[in-house]
Structures are given as structure tokens and as C-alpha cells.
Amino acid sequence: MATALATQLAQIAARSTNPLDLKAQKRAHSKSLLFDQNVAATQDFDTIYQICLEGYQELCHMDKRFVGFARSIFSEQSKTEERTQMTAAQNEELDEVLESFLSLVGARLLLRPALKAVEWLVRRFRVHEHNILCLTLTFLPYHTMPIFATLLSIFPKNIPPSLKFLHPYIESLACPPRHTIVHAVIHNQTLFSALNSYVLKASSAGHHCTTLISYWATIITEAVAGLVDQSMSGRRETQRKNEQDLLLRILPLLNEGLSMRQVPELRIGCYMILTVIASKMNLNEKVLLAMMEAVVTDWTPNTTHAGLICLAVLSQRRQDVHLPKKILKAVMSIQGIENDLSVLSEQYRVDKFVTGLVLGILEKIDKEVDLYRLTFVRTAIEGRLMSNTHIALAAKAIVIAARNSEATLEGDQDLQGQLADLILRLMDSEAVGSLVQNTIRENKTDVESLEAKLQMVLLPNDKQQDQTTEDVEMKDTDEELQGYTFDSITHHIPTRTAYEMSLLSHSQSYVYGSLSKAFLLASSSPSDLGKFSDLPVLRKPLALSEPLFFSFFIRYWCGPHSAASRASALTSVRDYLVEQNVTADLQILFPYIIYALADPNTKVRHAASELSFKLASTYLELGDDKKEASRPILGSDNIYGSGSETEGVSWLSAADSSRFLQEILIPNLEEIRQDENHITRLLLDSLNGPHQSRALHSPAKGLRSSTKGALLVSLASHVVHTPMYRVKLRLMSILNGISKAGGISKSKALLPLLLAQEKENEQSLIGHCEKEEIDRLSFVDEVVKIVAPNDRDGIRVIQRIIALDDSTPPVSLRKAAIQQVRNLWFSMKTDMQVSFAATLISLALTESTQMPAQDIQGDALEILRGLSLSANTLHRLIETIPALPATSVNGLAHSKRRRTISGHVESHEDRPSEGLQRALRHVTIVLELVDASKTATDPILMKELFQVLMDLQPSKVQLGIESGYLQSLVLGSLHKIVEQSKAITGIQLDRSTVRTDLIVECFRTSSNIQVQQAALMLMSSLATVVPELIIHSVMPVFTFMGTALLRQSDDYSAYIVDQTIESVIPPLVEALRKQKGGPLAGASELLLSFVAAFEHIPSHRRSALFSSLIDKLGPEEFLFAFLILLLDRYADSREVRQFIQEFTGQYSPLIQLRTMEKYLEVVLDALKPKPTVSIHFLNFSDGRSRASTALNLLSLPPNIFRAPRLISKSARLLSNKGEDAVQLRQMYSHLVEDTLLLAEQVEPYKKLPSACDLMLDALLGLLSLGESIDSLDILLKRGNTNVQRQVLRSLEHRIGDENAGNHAALEACINFLAELSLILEGSSDLLLLHSAISCIDRIIERYGKKDVETVGAVMKVVASDKCLGANDSRLRIMALLCLSTSVEVLGEAIIPIIPHALPKAMDHLEAILGGEDVDERMHNAVYSFLGSLLLYIPWIITGQYLDRVLKTSHESANAGLPAGCNMARKEVLALIAKQVDPHECFAALLRTWDSAMVEGPDAVSEHLQILQLAIERQSKSAIAEQSQSLLDLLLKVFDLRRVQCSPRTAESYENEEMDAVEKIINKVAIKMIYKLNDATFRPLFIRISEWATTPTGKKEEQGKVYRQISWYTFLHGFFDTLQSIVTSYAGFIIEDAVEVLNTISTKNPDSITLWNRVIAALTSSFEHDQDEFWQAPSHFAAISPPLLAQLSDSALHKESPDLIACITALAVAADSPDHHKALNAAILAHMRSDNAVVRLAAVQCEMSLTSKLGEEWLSLLPEMLPFVSELQEDDDERVEREVGRWIVQIEGILGESLDSMLL
């Protein structure tokens, strides 16, 4: 048993990070989310940081919230952070940052940038170990993704107990399922709390995302449900305790979650949890109400829907249905709450919740009247959102509220009227009417007193009930009204109707029935008419502000009533207009007056004309257009009810209304009275324009286009929105005669009516038509006449109606739509015809559930056959034929896929039999239509018909379907087209569409005699039209018929094939020779037929078949032709190219090379302006350019030459050394020569030269390098320089690609150097010399070290005047480059060449730098040569050579050369610094300094860079030895400013240039100081200081200033860089600095500059004093007085910030009360200066000191206060303002006011 000590040690070991265990560290470092462990282990933190930083930066672009982490976990410093070396507090702070980042990045973990960023947290900060819980919770929403398994793979062995459920999945690296996580959350309280805390923390920080919240909500909801189930076990006391404990755990979470209003998803999740708790636990009323109030507190529109669900569930759990005021107010503030509750009621019980709302509204109704809330009550009751018990309770509450109400208010505030109307509506409701009436009876309500108070009948008897029912059929018969009087009926009419504002509303009216009966009785008595008009319910006084009054009479005269009563209704309206002063726009009457003017009854038309006349007079009485425009339009917001029904109505302007009356109606009233159709003709002529010459008043002459359009739109909108079908019918019959008015289409205006009728069912339509006594068929006929031929939207609706898409339109409407299609067909555009035809075809194929299938299919086919289909329509219909499931005869997948009319692509996967039958039915219908059509002879149908034929072929093979009938239809249609083209001249067939192969296929596969006959007829017709196509079908015929034979391997099958070729081909060739002339031309036609058949021949038979053919024709003469034809036809086929390579490989090398010779001749001929040979093989008429054709052909030879079989055969042939070998070498050299000549000719073309280069490379690779050199030696000796150049270039490339270990190649190349040397000595052709040197360079680079003596001999020739000294710059450049290469090879052996080569090279460099245009290549070549020398024999460049190189480089730097030249030069200069002896280098730099300074700043910069590199390169001891030389050089360097500015000339450096150079100087000086110790450097410092402060002469004080500027500039950087180490060196400059401060001349700019540099140097020294150097009295007393005295110089006010900073730094360095007191006294003295600038500077100085030193400086406050008081009233506003800021600053530090201290 382990002891306690052992246990403790084991625990320590488990937590140990094993700092000395390298393997453990490596394993820990290899844990990665992105990389394999082996890869991750090799990565350092710099590499990881760069990869992860890219992902982090992409995250920053996505979300700016990530930017803040750039200063912490993604900073450069983070690469060096190590958690094990941090304190506990630092680790806690780091954990907060890491967890904040993880919560923010959690939303994007599926993005690659996010994973890269998290990778950094894993690799650098090991969050998978130190923050494993947060990391797991971040990734947990993605637990089903592969990334979670990857995360598990990097977890340590020991994980927190809260994550113990992951143990099995860590071992198996599998993703945990959802139920496992839910189970863990239920049973692991730590995990439950951690998950909730993580989500709440992320949400409060604004880092939440939908994925996280949704996942949390679902998991926690399930977990809470499980916890509730757990708590219900045990005894009742135990259950109660468990429930309380659970609530104590969950309610704080919910409280915090619900408080986050800005996170709606979190609130919704809390609602889900509340719902689960309420559903599963028995909670008391108090808790439930508290939950409900929490739900509505701070809820937003985004959370109300979920909140309502939660409230409904909570309400159902309560015993009391009443709701608190807070909940009621919150719920009723939701817009459209009744709709939301109606939707919720379909899935949840909401009856208690709605009851609570209703009761709450009714209880508060006497305090606040809200029409919206009463509407909600009615909607809730009528919508049956409550149970019957609750509805009865609500009805009782309504009655009580009505009894307690008083009729004290008017309009919408008439509470009593509102409640009365509510009761009446509920009692009349079909849904709840009987229930409400029973409730009133059962509750023993005093009905009579209530009726008396409300002035209405609540519970009428049966007779009265019949009178007040609207739906009773109204007939004007005296018998029906016998026993009734006007007074008896009006007695039961209610006095008010609060809800009904218009009787033309689409909603049901409960007063119109009674009113219409009363009006019928009153129409016979003028006195009763007056009484009727004055009925309170009609609200006649408000007739001009609400449409109720007029709407009754409109509805009456447009209804199925007697003519006399309808005329009385019109008269009543006229009488009202006579009596009243009309102030409203009454255009609502226009459509209904037009309806009345078209009435068949003369009396009605007469009354309507009188009303029109009076209405027109009212418009005339107003007169002023402005008054007309300001008049309100009666009923504009509620004539057809509230909402979209009225909003969709278009209204006329006052001016257009007046024009309509005055210019159209009034002049024609007399004719209208006489003829009921006159109003129709009048409107048609007015809007369309007169079409007949008759005596009208020409209304259209003065009617503007805009007025016409407005009138049409207005009338159409009334037709659409009026509820009266009689009005719709009559006005449609008028408007359908109009095509367009004012640019507005009648179809567009009336289309909404068609859409509405489409949605109506047949029974509803029958009901409307029977009720209004109109003919239903006439109505639907007029509805479909809305659609015009050019109305695409309307035609689509008609199409949808016929197709029964997405709706069940009335059957009568569908029949009318079918007839309308027939009427419009010839006027419809082709695309619409196609769409309709496709729809009809679809109907003919579809089984419908709305109508019997046979009826639908029969109707569709009948319509189709009765339509005249154009050729274009047929063409499009053929395209819609679906592709049949097929596999072509040769087994290849059928790739063609047809389009449907909507662009849908059908799949070729195997369909079920039903789908196949449907497809065949579709094909049959279309082909029968084509066959029966008279327009099916257009050639445009050929392509698609052949496509159908192709689709039909394989169906029989695969599925055994006899498609003979369909094939006969297609072939017959094609035969008609061909015959028509023969009969009519001018019709040309598209030859590309003719598919003779398909016709042949019909012969081969079909056994149907009709198909064979049709195919024969078609072939015979084609033979007379396109005979050449039939000739080309001969070979395909044999191919298809002999497929079985070709696949056989027996001798008999092969014999049949050979006999077929021998019997068929000769006569065919003979025929072709007669046509073309010559065997080659004839053979091309023959070969072309075979090439065309290539893809149809089985692959295993191709080689034997074509070998037989070529062998019979002769491969030496015709193999090249076959290759050209095959490659030209199948240019993009990889299979063809592979076949060619294998096919040609069976022939000997001589035949292959001979074939390639002829092949190249054809390519050359193809590029000629007038080709002679290639026209027989190449197709130049297909749109391809000759260059592209040649490019395609040239892609083959490289593959042939690289073929391993040809290479091996050639090698064996050459090894025999017979005549064939000699012939092969000759043919090889000829091919190379031909290739070179071809390359010259194709230079003008773009891609051809590169193709020739590829071919040449392949050709050179055909033979070994030695054999190539031997073979090409023939070309080199012919004397053709051009060929020689090309050969040398080719060999150069070949040598570069050769293996360096090839001994034969090495020997051949070394021997070839002698040949090249002879060319250099003997040839005068510059280009040839250039090529020879390039070849020498390549050989030396590759094999030079193998024979140094031979290389040295050749290099002497290269370095001679013939090459290096030549006049041609290109030749000199190549010589220099070759010399550069040889330096590495020869080493010290090149020394004999240097005395001649190096001066020549420098001469060339100096010459080009001295010229006008610098030869960049020459420049770089010289430097390449110099670089090689410096790299391999640096000691050779010293003394004068070195000085010359440096001076020339200075000139180069000043020449403004491109970047490449500068780079070459700088590389050589860097080699000088690194390779040359330091003594020699420093001496040369000193000698050439003046040269660099003369050439300019660039030269000086490079000169100093050499010095810097040399110093960095050398050791400390070497620098110490050269310290004196370096000092002399530095003195010269520091003197640069004096030299340039004494005196300043046009060639002097600019100030910016001098500043830039001085920065480099100071940097170099610092580098040197780093290499020296104090004992060595201090004397040097003293000497430089003395040199800088000593005048160069008696009159050279200005020169001294320049030296001091340079010196103090250096000192600033010196003190800044070395800081406290060199503070003591300031003692050497105090005296000179004081002198500068005391003797400054503000009029001299250089003196000001020197002053600035001194201040900067002193500031730097003060800031870095850590040894109390400036605290010493001697040093402080020396510097402080002159420094503080600078405040008094007002001329330096612009420099005051630097001065104040310097004084502040001095005060910090001189940390002594005495020194501070002295400084303060001096500064305060300046506050009483007469100069405001000085006072301002003193105040600002005090502010800086106060800010820097704080309370330490404010210990001198008593001395400051008098001065502060004085300056508060300073004359200068700036001083006074700054003093105010100073006081605020002091008060902020001291924490108390200075008011009591200041005088």
C-alpha cells in the first residue's frame, strides 16, 4: 500500500511539466488541431505564429472585435510567453483573455481562419491543458463534426471531473452523441453550472451566436426536463424539497438570462425552460404569476412569439384566469396579437390565456375605451380561441359592461354603441351566436331593460329574426310584405351601428336586410322615403364624411330589386345632393352611376341621368381647382371595408372627375336615356378613340391621355374590389372592349380580378351568382376576356387555371379559359404558344385529383389537335421531349440530356415503368402533332427530329420496347422535310444536322417493315440532295454491321473483315481518284473515311484494322497522311494520341523518321500563303487558323521522338554501325535541320516557336549526347552559320539537361571544347561566336572541373581581344559571364588570365558609366566577374584594383541605374566587406571617401554600408587594432556636413540628404563602439569631441557649427542607444553645451539647428541617467542656469516643447529637493517677465514638471501660489487659459481645491 509521501510524490509527478524531459516536451509541443503530430513536432513558434497570424488577421477582417487581441495573445511578444514562468495573477489575467477570445471565436469554428487562430492558443498557451473546460464548451456545439474528434485527440490524460463523460470518446477518438451530453448535463451538476455560466458570460460580453444559444437552449431544456423527472421520485416531502432545490438552481439562471434584452435567442431559450418547468412541476399561483411577469418584462418584437407560447402554457397551469395589469398591458401592446394567438391556438391551448386577456379588457373598459381591444374581444370569441365555458364567461362580462356603460361620448368613443354592436355581432355569428344567446338567457339577464338601454333588440322572435337576416332572398312581391308596415319594420331597426361604416364592405352586414325591406315599403311613399333617409342608423348627417348613407342606396339600386325601387334609390341620392351643400368628392358614385346608366329599364336610366346631372352641377358649383383638389374623397379609406380591399382602389383627381362628368356623361345624357348600350359605346369611344362615324359629341377630343388612363384604372379597381358581382359583370362587359387607355393596358388593370376568381371555388361562385341573379357562364366569360394576346401575366394565369396548378379554380372558369385560349391563339407570341402547348401536353399526361383524369386528358388533346402549331412552336415542343432511359448500342452511356420548357434537366437514370410509359406517351403526342401539322416541313425541325430518333434507338435494346411506330413517325416527318426542300428552290438543308448513321442504325436494329421502308425512302431522298454525306456513310455501315465480327478473334471473322476491305475499298478509291486526281489526294479521301470511323471501331480491333490498311497502302508513303488526318480530326482526344504513339512504334526507326520528315513538310506547306499538299489533309474551312492547325500538328512529333521504343530501337541500330546507322545519322541531321528551318519560318507566330523548341528538345533527346554531337558535326562543318548557331544553341540546352555522371557525355563535351575554340578563333560571325561562348560556358559549368588544363586553354581565347576585347557588347558580356563561371572551376589557375582580363573588365565598366546610356547587362556582367573573383580568390583584388573598384562603384551608384544593377553592385561591395583583409579594406575606404562624397548621397550610403558590414564581420580585437584607422575615417565622415556647407553650392547635399547620411554614419559609429571597450573608446571620444569643438581656422566659426551639429546629432543617438552605460561621457560635453546655449544666435538657422541638437542630446542624457550623474552639484550647477535661461528667449518660443521636455528630464534626473527648489525659483522668475511668450513658456514648464513629478514637485506649492494668483489675471488670454489648466491639474493631483489658497 502506497504511503502518504508516495501519494504526494505521484500527484506532483502527474502535475509536473517535465522541463528536463525532452521527449515529453516534444510530445506536448506536437499537440495540434491542424497538423499531424510528426509535422507539428518539427515546427518552431515562429513558423506556427506566422501560420496562425494569417488566420487571426482574416478574423479581424470579418469582425473588428478581434482586433483588440492583437496587443495580447497575438502580439509578437506572445511568441516568447511561457505560462510556467508566469505568476498566478498573470496566469489568471491570461485565462480571462483566452476565454474571452474562445467565446468570441466560437461562432466561426467551422471556418479555416478560426481554427488557425485557435491553433495558436493550443500550441503557445496550451489551452487544451490549462483552459480545457472553456475550450470544450466552445467546441461542444460542433460535437458531431470531425473537428471535435480532433480536439479530443489533443486532450491530456487527466481531464476535469466535469468532463469525465468524454473519457470513452477520447480513447476511441469518436464524436459523442447528443444523448450522452444530455445525460452528462443531467447527472453532472458541475457541467450543468459550467455550461450555463459559459453561455451567460459570452452573452453578456456580446460574444454570443445563434449556434451556441440554440445548442444551449435545447440541451438545457432536455436536461431540465430530466432533472424535473428525477426530482419527482421519493415521498411527497422529498419531492417538494427536490423541486425547491431545483428551482433554486434554475431560477437565478433564468433571471439573469431574461435580463439580457439584447440577446433575444437567450430569452427564447429561457422561455423554453420555463415552459418545461411549468408543464412538469406543480407550481403555486404566486410562482406562476412571477414567471409570467418575468416573461413580459423587457420583451422585444423578436421574442414576443416565443413569449406568448410560454405565457399560454403558464396560464393553462393556473387555476385563476385573471391576469395582472402588467401582463395585460404588455400583451395588448403587440400589433396583430389576435393573429398571433390564432396561429398559436392550432398547436397549443390558449383558452385560459385568452380568457384572461378578454376579462381584463372588459374589466377596464369603463376607464379606457379602446376600439382595438374590443375588436380583439370579438375576434377571440368568434375565432373560438376559448372554450365554451370561457366564452360564456366572456359574454356575461360583456353584458355587464354594457349595462354599466353610459352613452356619453360620440364616434369611436361611444362605449355603449361599441358594446351594443359587439353583442349584436356575437349573437349573429354562426360560430358562437347560439352560445351567446343561451348565455344571456341562462344568466337571467334583464333583456328588456338592456334592450331599452342599448336601443336595440337582443333576442327577437322568429318572425323578427327572419326580417333582420341579410341572407334571406329579397324579392319585390307584395305578398311577402303583407301584414307589415313601414313603421313596424323600422321599429326593429337598430339606431346605430358602430362597426359598419359601409354597406359595400365584404364583411357580413346585419342591418342591410331590415333596411332593404323598409326601403321597399318606403319607395312607394315620398313621405316614407324621407323618414327612411332620416333613420339614425344611416347617419345621414355624416353622409359626406362616411360612406354608410350612400353605400346603402348604391347597393340597393345595383341589387336584384324592382325597377321602381331602384329608381327611387337613385332619386333619394339625387334629393340628398339637392338638399345638401356638397363638400366631399363623390366619385365613389361614378362606377355605380355607369352601372345604372346601362340598366335595361328606362326609368332607372332616367333617374341615373338626373343624378349624373346633379352630381356634375356640384362639381361646377365648387369651381376653383384648388378647392376641388383639397376636397376629401368619400369612402377612400373604408368604402369596401378596412384594409387591402379599399386600399387597392385607385381614385381620380378632382380635375379628372370633373372632366369625366362634363365632357363625357353630361353631353350624352339624352342618348343614354334612350339607349341602354349608348353608355358602353360612349366609354369605348372616349377611352379607345372613335372607331365608327356617328353623331357623338366627340368626347375624346378634349380628354387627355392621362385622364383616360386614370379613368380606366379607377373603374377597373372598383370592378376588382366591389363585392357586387352584378356590378363586376356589367362594368367588365364595358371595359373588355377597351385595349389600352393613356398607355395603360386594360388587362393589367383588371388582372387582379382574374387572380381573385382563380382562388374562388365553384360553389362560392354559384352562390354569388344565384344570390345576385346573374348568369354564371356570362360572368366567367367576361372574366377571362380580361386577358389580351400580348398580356403575358394574364396568359400565365389562364395557363395556370387550365393546368390546375396550385389551386382548384371553378370548373366554369376553366372551361371559359380554354375557349379564350382558342380565341387568342393566332395572336399569341411563339413563346407563349409553346408554354401553352407544353402545359396541355402535361395535362394530357397527368392524373388529376380535381377532375376525372379522362376528362382532363381528353380536353387537353382536343385543344392541342384543334390548334394550328407553327414550325417554331413544333421545334420547341420537340425540345421538351424527355430523354428516354437508354444505353447506346456500343455500350457507351448516352450523354444527351434534353431540356424541359422551364430549363429543368431530366436524369437518364432508370425510371420506373410508370415513368417510362409517361415519357413514351409524351413522345407519341408530340410526334403525332408534328406528323399531323401542315407546318412540319421546315428544315429547322431536322436536328431535333434526328435527336429524337437517336433517343429512340437504344430504348428497344435496353428495355425491349417496340418503338417502331415512333420511329416511323420521325422518319416520315424527316422525309417530308427533305422532299419539301427538293420541291421548293431556295430551301437549304443544314448538312450538319443530317445523321445518316442513325438511319443506318434503323436498318440494323429494327425488324419493323414500316421502319425499314421509311428509312429507305429517307436515304433515297438524301442521296439526291446531299450525296457526299452518303458516301461518307459507307465505312460506318460496315463498322456497325460488322461490330460482332470485329469483336471476334477467330480466323474466319478476320477473313471476312479482310475480304470486306478488299472488295469495298478499291472501287471507292477509284471513284475518289476520279474526283480529285492523284493517288495522294484519292488516298486522303479514303483515309478520311477510315479516320471518321475511328471512334466507332472497338478499341481492341483498331490496331489490326489500320495496320492492315496502312500496310496495303505503304507506310513509307501514306503513314504520315494517316497520322495528320487522325490528329487533325481528333485534336483534343488523348485516346487518339496514345493510339498514334503505340501505332507508329511498331515500325522501324528509319520509317518513323522518314514519316516525320514528310510530316514536317506538310506543316511547312500549311503555313504557306498558297498551300499545295496540305489542302488534301487539313480542313481549313472549319474556322481554325492555319497557325492553330500547325500548332496542333506540332504537338505530335515530341511524343513520337520521346517514345521509349523508338529510342531503344535507334540505339540498337547505331550500335551495329552499318549502313542503316549511317542513314539514320543522316536522316537525324536532316530532321534537325528541317526543324531549325521550320523554327525560323514560324517566328512571326505566337505559340509555334515554343512548339518547335519542344520538338527540337525531343529530337535531340532521341540519341545520346555523344551520338548527337557526332551526328550534328556534319551540320557544323557545312559552313551554314545560321544552322551552326541553331545547332550550338540546341546542344547548349541538351548539355544542361544531361546527367553530370555520364562519362561518355563528359568525354564528348571536353573534346568538343577544341572544336568550339577553333570556331572562336576562325569565325567572324558575331552571333556564332556568341553561341559558341554560351556553349563553352555550359560545358565548363557542367564538366569543367574534370579537365582544368583544357578549360584554361579555352579561357585564354575567351579573354583575348577576339572575345573580351571585341567591339560587340553582347560578345564582351558573354565573355565576362564565361570568365565568371571559369573562376569557380579554375580557382588560382585563372591568375595568368587576370592581368589581362581584370583591367579590360574595369575599362568596359568605366566606359559604359561614362557614356550617355548605360548598358545594364554589361554592368552586371562585370560585377558578376568581380564577385566571382572576390568569392574564390579575394586576395587578388587589393591596392589599386580595390580603389578602382570602389571608385567605379561610386559612379555606378550615382548613375541612377535600375534595381537589378544596384543589386549586383551591392552584392560585390558586400563581398569586399566580408572577404577583403580589414586593414586593406579600411585603408581603401579612407582613400576613396572623397570620391564617394563627390558622387553623391547614394554613393556615400553604399560606402558606409561597406564599412558597417566590415565592422560587423570583424572580431573585437581586429577592430581594436584598426581603431586608429577607423578614427581617421570617422573624422572624415563626421566632417561631411562642413565640407558640403562651407560654402553651400548647387552641388551641395540637401538638408534631408545630409540628415539621411548622418543617420547611417551614427549607426556605423555605434556598431564600431559595440566592438570597443571603454579603455579604447574613451580616448577616441575625447579626440572626436575636441575635433568637433575646435575651429578649423580663425575665420571658420561657421565650420565649427557644422561639425558641432554632426557631433551632437551623433551624441543624441549615442545616449539613446547606450543609455546609462555612457551617461558619464556627458562630462566631456558640458562646457561646450553651455557655451552653445549661451551664445546661440536666433537669426542664424544653423545656430538654431545646433541648439536643437544640443537640447536633444542633453534630454537623452538626462532621461537615461541612472547613476545620479546629473544630481551631482557640480554637473547640475553647470548646466541648469544656462538651460533655464533659454526660457527667457522669446525667439525660441517655437522650440519651447523640446526645451520644456529637456528641463523636465533634468528635474527627474536631479532628484533632490534643493535642485528642485532652484529649478522652481528660476522658472517662477520667468513668470514675471514682461514678455507674454516667456510667461506662457514658464507656465507650460511648470505644468510639465507637475505632471511628471506629481506630489513631489507640488511640495513647492507655497512658493508657486503667489505667482499663480498673479497669472490668473494675466493680460494675455493664452497665459490665463494655461494657468487655469495648471490649477485643474494641481487640484486633480492633490484632491482638493486651491480656491482657498489663492488670493
Side-chain angles (χ1 to χ4, degrees), residues 177-342:
R178 176 187 179 84
H179 64 84
T180 299
I181 299 173
V182 174
H183 184 272
V185 174
I186 293 174
H187 296 87
N188 191 328
Q189 186 174 350
T190 307
L191 178 60
F192 181 85
S193 301
L195 179 58
N196 293 329
S197 300
Y198 175 81
V199 172
L200 293 174
K201 186 175 180 181
S203 301
S204 62
H207 295 173
H208 59 279
C209 65
T210 304
T211 303
L212 174 64
I213 301 298
S214 301
Y215 181 77
W216 168 82
T218 54
I219 292 293
I220 295 299
T221 301
E222 292 186 40
V224 169
L227 291 171
V228 172
D229 293 338
Q230 280 186 349
S231 68
M232 299 179 69
S233 62
R235 296 182 179 179
R236 188 159 189 82
E237 294 78 7
T238 305
Q239 292 182 18
R240 188 178 298 109
K241 183 178 182 303
N242 292 339
E243 289 179 353
Q244 291 177 355
D245 294 341
L246 181 59
L247 288 176
L248 290 175
R249 287 173 56 190
I250 297 175
L251 290 181
L253 160 70
L254 299 178
N255 185 42
E256 187 174 356
L258 291 173
S259 65
M260 297 184 187
R261 185 179 182 184
Q262 73 281 6
V263 191
E265 298 89 349
L266 185 62
R267 289 181 64 93
I268 293 173
C270 294
Y271 295 160
M272 294 169 59
I273 299 173
L274 282 174
T275 303
V276 171
I277 293 174
S279 301
K280 287 182 169 287
M281 298 178 69
N282 295 320
L283 304 176
N284 58 41
E285 290 286 320
K286 186 176 180 181
V287 175
L288 289 171
L289 280 178
M291 288 181 175
M292 295 177 72
E293 290 184 355
V295 170
V296 301
T297 302
D298 294 331
W299 68 357
T300 63
N302 294 329
T303 59
T304 52
H305 181 75
L308 289 174
I309 297 175
C310 185
L311 290 174
V313 175
L314 293 174
S315 296
Q316 291 300 127
R317 303 292 292 178
R318 296 181 60 220
Q319 299 298 324
D320 186 9
V321 296
H322 291 82
L323 295 175
K325 181 179 179 181
K326 179 179 180 181
I327 298 175
L328 177 65
K329 183 178 180 181
V331 174
M332 294 311 299
S333 64
I334 301 173
Q335 295 294 327
I337 179 62
E338 64 277 5
N339 297 327
D340 293 342
L341 290 175
S342 178

Side-chain angles (χ1 to χ4, degrees), residues 924-940:
T924 304
I925 292 173
V926 174
L927 293 181
E928 286 177 347
L929 290 174
V930 174
D931 183 66
S933 176
K934 297 179 181 180
T935 60
T937 57
D938 196 310
I940 65 171

Side-chain angles (χ1 to χ4, degrees), residues 842 845-847 882 913-923:
S842 178
L845 300 172
T846 305
E847 296 292 334
S913 59
E914 293 182 1
L916 179 58
Q917 292 297 330
R918 175 185 171 87
L920 288 176
R921 179 65 176 157
H922 190 164
V923 175

Side-chain angles (χ1 to χ4, degrees), residues 1651-1763:
W1651 183 86
N1652 279 322
R1653 304 295 169 85
V1654 171
I1655 293 297
L1658 291 175
T1659 303
S1660 180
S1661 177
F1662 297 156
E1663 289 176 347
H1664 300 296
D1665 181 16
Q1666 298 180 4
D1667 302 324
E1668 300 181 354
F1669 176 83
W1670 292 108
Q1671 194 172 346
S1674 59
H1675 299 153
F1676 178 80
I1679 197 65
S1680 60
L1683 185 62
L1684 292 170
Q1686 305 303 305
L1687 290 172
S1688 62
D1689 194 341
S1690 61
L1692 295 173
H1693 70 279
K1694 292 184 179 179
E1695 317 296 336
S1696 59
D1698 295 335
L1699 177 61
I1700 291 171
C1702 186
I1703 295 173
T1704 303
L1706 176 61
V1708 173
D1711 188 12
S1712 167
D1714 295 336
H1715 293 337
H1716 287 175
K1717 187 172 183 178
L1719 289 172
N1720 186 47
I1723 296 170
L1724 293 176
H1726 289 299
M1727 290 186 180
R1728 290 180 175 168
S1729 171
D1730 295 336
N1731 193 325
V1733 174
V1734 176
R1735 296 197 301 275
L1736 178 63
V1739 172
Q1740 291 174 341
C1741 187
E1742 285 285 356
M1743 289 177 67
S1744 176
L1745 291 166
T1746 302
S1747 174
K1748 190 70 175 178
L1749 298 175
E1751 294 183 359
E1752 182 181 355
W1753 182 256
L1754 291 181
S1755 63
L1756 303 172
L1757 183 61
E1759 300 176 10
M1760 304 177 191
L1761 290 176
F1763 295 89

Side-chain angles (χ1 to χ4, degrees), residues 706-718:
S706 60
T707 303
K708 293 179 183 180
L711 182 58
L712 173 62
V713 173
S714 179
L715 292 176
S717 66
H718 284 289

Side-chain angles (χ1 to χ4, degrees), residues 1354-1409:
V1354 174
M1355 293 315 302
K1356 289 182 180 179
V1357 179
V1358 174
S1360 66
D1361 293 339
K1362 185 70 180 292
C1363 298
L1364 184 59
N1367 295 326
D1368 183 66
S1369 60
R1370 291 181 60 194
L1371 195 58
R1372 294 200 299 263
I1373 292 170
M1374 282 307 304
L1376 286 168
L1377 294 176
C1378 189
L1379 286 169
S1380 302
T1381 305
S1382 65
V1383 171
E1384 178 184 1
V1385 173
L1386 297 176
E1388 295 183 0
I1390 202 174
I1391 292 177
I1393 304 174
I1394 295 301
H1396 178 77
L1398 184 57
K1400 278 286 184 184
M1402 297 307 299
D1403 290 342
H1404 294 330
L1405 181 59
E1406 291 171 354
I1408 62 171
L1409 292 174

